[in-house]
Amino acid sequence: MKNNFAPPPTYKKLARFGLAVIFGFSMIISSCIPEPESPKIEVSENSQLMKVREWFEENKNNLRLPERGSNFRTDAQELILPFFEKEPDWDNFHHYYFPDGREVFEINLENVQTYIPISDASEDVATQANRSIQNILFVKHPTENRFDPLIARYYPDEESSKREFKEISYQMIDEKWSGWIDLFTYDEHYFIGFQVEKGQITHTRKFKQEGQNAKKAIGFENKDVRCPLVTTDWLNITVAGNVVTITGLNSTTSQSCGMGSYDSGSQSNGSPSYNYGGFPSSGVGSSGAPSGYPVPDDVPLPKLRIYLSQKVSKYPLLECAISKIELSKFIDQLAIFSQSATGANVTLTVGKTQNPRAGAETDGVTYGYNNIIITFNEETIGKKSSLDIARILIHEIIHAEIFSALGQERNSSLLVGDFAHNFEIYKQRFPSNNAIQQHEFMADFLVEKIAKELQKLHPYLGKDEFFNATANNWHKGIIHQGFYTAIAWHGFNSTSRWINNENKAYYQKLQELDNRLTKNCQ
Amino acid sequence: MRAKLLIILLYSFSLFSCKEKEDRILSTLYLNSLSGGNKGDTLLIILDAKSEFTQKRIEIISNEKYIYYRRGFDEDPNLIVNMGSYPDLGKLNIKIKSLINYDVLYDSLIPFEKWFYLDYEKYFLIEKEDLVKANREGLHSLVFLEIAMNSHGII
């Protein structure tokens, strides 16, 4: 039925006016509604940043080397860039943590002067300088009330890798970025360099340091074809308005090595890190560093991040278990958990698994090794004990690390020494199935490691309740380490190591107790 | 509907005694009564401890009896249901005619997914052999032992 009713023109005007008034008021009211949460975070980060700034203002004069004219290099053949602009642009900063828990503020420098290595002689140096980024990292000392500053320079290979400050940091290299990242100490001693190709580190470089007034011969170790010596020319580029001043610096010699074949990596808490060998953190270094100059003990590899999808927040026990496994040094060295997807190469979520019988799955194939997906089975996660969830998390993170290491063609991994060589054996033994390869590898190398981590985590995950329920099984009131080994075997029961395990019956008895594990997490 | 099922059950229990027909009765019991599992519910499990896929182990510690069952699966040894009867857990004495009030799972008929997805507050178990024996002897009630349960899927 058609409705022929229409208001007279006067009422139409009134109605329109009324609507306009309502709209106007709603605009005013809505503009007054404060944005929840985000301002608080900003205030909190800014107050922390203020502390860094205060510390820097108080100490910056002590951090600087005396002016040394144009001596860009010492007689020791070490690259030392002259003191130049070191004033941070405090409005542009990143805030994150190194894997070992040290807090880092990475702040943009004003970039009036730029130092660049010449990577492509055919390209305009001003263009190369224009796309490079120079930042200063303040690494909070874990025990002392100070920060250790480092200069990070990002040299993109080409224009497509040019990034704004907000788009790149030492812990956030995207998968399309290629170029070099060089780290210098605050007084411009060279620290370490990383070559990155499409988001993955492929090479490191360290400048050769030689004896004072001596030309060191290239020894046998330097003839290693894996670590050839590379000569680099450096330019100092200053932009003032439209005037670009280019000053040539002397060349330096560095040793460039593929990942895993280099001798500079050390294991700090099991994590690969890089020490500045010729520059001790106290006293006068071989290259003339000032006494007492603060140098970070080590700098970790830029590492991968696990993005916790929003679904995770719907599973409090999973969230709690994640917060506990972050306490594990082993996991802390492998992974950073983040609420932000930016820069993440692993996503942890809860949903349907491809195999309905899976407790969880890690897929490093479908979307590539830079987009690994760990999925907990939504049908079963609710029935898991907290220690079971922690065990599955560790298990899947190891899968993710294997996918990542293989994808990056890394020679090294925290999982096992000489990773590439060791894993190659499993590839050859089980060529058709990467799940079998990985499980056989994990069963051979990592069960005890998982067990030890579970033992350390259990006090946070209902150990007392479990102990009370199973007390008759334990001598001297202590849960035997064998129990954790037994449950670490879950998921590996198809492997040859388990099938042929001479202690299988013993472990199976201990596994029978895991039905008394609880959902406590505190 | 419930009354009808109850009559069928009682009729079945009283009339049939040969093994083949017992299995059919138990199948009917399962097929008609398992609701799928809601948290807070109690599930009664009738376990075939003689099955080649079930391992049973009894342990006596300080005169207390511990019974362990592992329901393994030939297709993947990672798929395991692990159950245990412990002295600190309870018992449930149920009149046969009251069975209809519970969810009942007959393990030989259940694919792993059913075990894997179980989400009951409490689990009570009786071995199939004991159930059959009770039926033969004309007992009016059954004793189920409370068990703790865990299941492991592929990871």
Side-chain angles (χ1 to χ4, degrees), chain A residues 333-351:
Chain A
Q333 288 156 4
L334 280 177
I336 299 171
F337 294 93
S338 169
Q339 305 289 342
S340 163
T342 308
N345 68 338
V346 180
T347 299
L348 175 61
T349 190
V350 183

Side-chain angles (χ1 to χ4, degrees), chain B residues 2 33-44 92 101-104 118-124 146:
Chain B
R2 282 191 172 183
S33 64
L34 188 63
S35 69
N38 297 311
K39 198 169 183 183
D41 292 343
T42 293
L43 179 72
L44 304 181
L92 193 60
N101 297 323
Y102 293 89
D103 279 359
V104 181
L118 292 177
D119 191 15
Y120 288 81
E121 188 72 18
K122 284 183 178 288
Y123 302 89
F124 289 86
E146 186 180 0

